[in-house]
Amino acid sequence: MKILLVGNGGREHALAYKMAQNPIVEKIYCSKGNGGTYFENKCENIDIDNIDDLVNFAQTNNIELTVVGPEKELCEGIVDKFKEKGLRIFGPSKEAAQLEGSKAFSKDFMKKYGVKTAEYSKFYNLKEALNYVENCVLPVVIKADGLAAGKGVVIAEKREEAIKAVKDFMEDKILGNAGDGLVIEEFLEGVEASILSITDGEVIIPFISAKDHKAINDGNKGPNTGGMGTIAPNPYCNEEVLKDFTQHIMIPTLNGIKKEKLDYIGIIFFGIMITKKGIYLLEYNVRMGDPETQVVLPLMESDLVELINSAIDKNLKNTKVLFKNQHACCVIASSKGYPIKYENGFEITGVNKVKAKTFFAGAEEKNGKLLTSGGRVLGVTTIGKTLEEARNKAYDSINKVHFDGIYYRKDIGK
Ligand code: AMP
Ligand code: GLY
């Protein structure tokens, strides 16, 4: 089987690594991949930057399955275009991908189907949005409607911050069209969890829970990043939490998908907040999380390619997804200055001394060497019988990796 994998992050390296374990898989073309997929078993990087050319590539190279990592292509309708040509692809349609691509769409969906979420209002007019934040309860959460690569949410504790956020998005257009509409919502206090799951539109099967660490500094201080580390399972996701999640979030979501007749075969990722008043849904993502994937997949015992095929064949009701009864920890190493400003091009060494799986993100191959090429450079994932064992192994490993300006949090999973 030949697979096409779209994306170039640590998530995609982890997807490639896991899919390569299936004996039927002969080759995985990664567009455009990174330094990690360059060296990965069965993988070959190709550089195609638009959907039509990807369709073309799949047709001319007898690709039997296409897997899409990032939300961007899903929201642009890559799945619809592949299906029009009769190509087998795993992911939600363009319409269904709005569950991530538009905050207004997803909040309206949650409300319509009784998915427990924060109270909210929608705005498409600057004056009305300003008028609202001048009088609302603080803190308040201001979200740009469109895709914003993690930069579209502001938690305003002070009135001036709320006003500035509204102006930044709607007047100064710092996120372009993504800020044409706003969702302004109630602030929820609690702990977050990531629950990735797979759906064939008929059932949703949740994966093992995970916990992301979004802030750049220890103690969750400093600006938010794409994620500086993850653990799985999430220690806060006990049985009671999972029951509440199933009843108030997952089941109503599935009902909504069915009632709206959304063509949704793919990953659905629930970003939840565990509060004193129960479990709330913060957001849907229509793809795997990064770096959640880097801890969830190494714990998955089931074969990922078989699982994806079973979803595409609408056979998940007869499928079990098994996870190791263990703990995983992923510590991300980033470039000095990330997420604000950083330099690239430094050689990465010591990875061969690491007794852990290293998943690369912002790293590229040049003349047989690996050089830094992004903010989040790599992550090491380790597994242990306890969280502590997994953590200790992860830190022992990352200590052996070097590049100029290497930075990582010291408290992942603490
Ligand atoms: P979202 O893209 O909607 O998940 O928002 C990004 C991040 O903002 C979340 O992971 C939370 O840390 C935070 N956030 C979003 N909505 C809320 C809320 N209603 N209350 C508190 N924090 C929130
Ligand atoms: N780690 C959070 C995300 O992938 O959105």
Side-chain angles (χ1 to χ4, degrees), residues 99 109-110 113-117 194-208 241-259 264 267-272 279-284 316 321:
L99 285 175
F109 176 94
M110 293 176 210
Y113 292 100
V115 177
K116 193 160 160 188
T117 191
S194 304
I195 302 187
L196 284 59
S197 69
I198 187 165
T199 185
D200 57 4
E202 312 273 336
V203 293
I204 298 180
I205 306 180
F207 295 164
I208 197 165
V241 165
L242 292 173
K243 214 172 125 195
D244 189 340
F245 161 75
T246 305
Q247 190 181 344
H248 295 113
I249 294 171
M250 196 181 90
I251 292 174
T253 297
L254 183 62
N255 286 342
I257 289 174
K258 287 184 188 163
K259 290 244 171 69
Y264 203 139
I267 297 295
I268 181 159
F269 162 166
F270 301 87
I272 63 170
I279 312 304
Y280 285 73
L281 183 63
L282 293 177
E283 63 164 349
Y284 295 111
L316 283 185
V321 188

Side-chain angles (χ1 to χ4, degrees), residues 150-151 153 155 192 213-216 220-228 338-340 409:
K151 298 189 172 67
V153 177
I155 297 174
E192 284 180 64
H213 297 67
K214 285 192 173 128
I216 185 75
N220 296 322
K221 303 256 163 55
N224 264 357
T225 70
M228 294 303 293
Y338 171 78
I340 316 283
R409 274 178 66 162

Side-chain angles (χ1 to χ4, degrees), residues 107-132:
K107 292 293 287 194
D108 287 349
F109 176 94
M110 293 176 210
K111 191 172 167 191
K112 185 167 175 189
Y113 292 100
V115 177
K116 193 160 160 188
T117 191
E119 293 294 334
Y120 70 104
S121 306
K122 293 181 294 180
F123 297 92
Y124 297 93
N125 173 294
L126 175 68
K127 238 174 132 183
E128 285 170 22
L130 283 174
N131 187 35
Y132 183 86

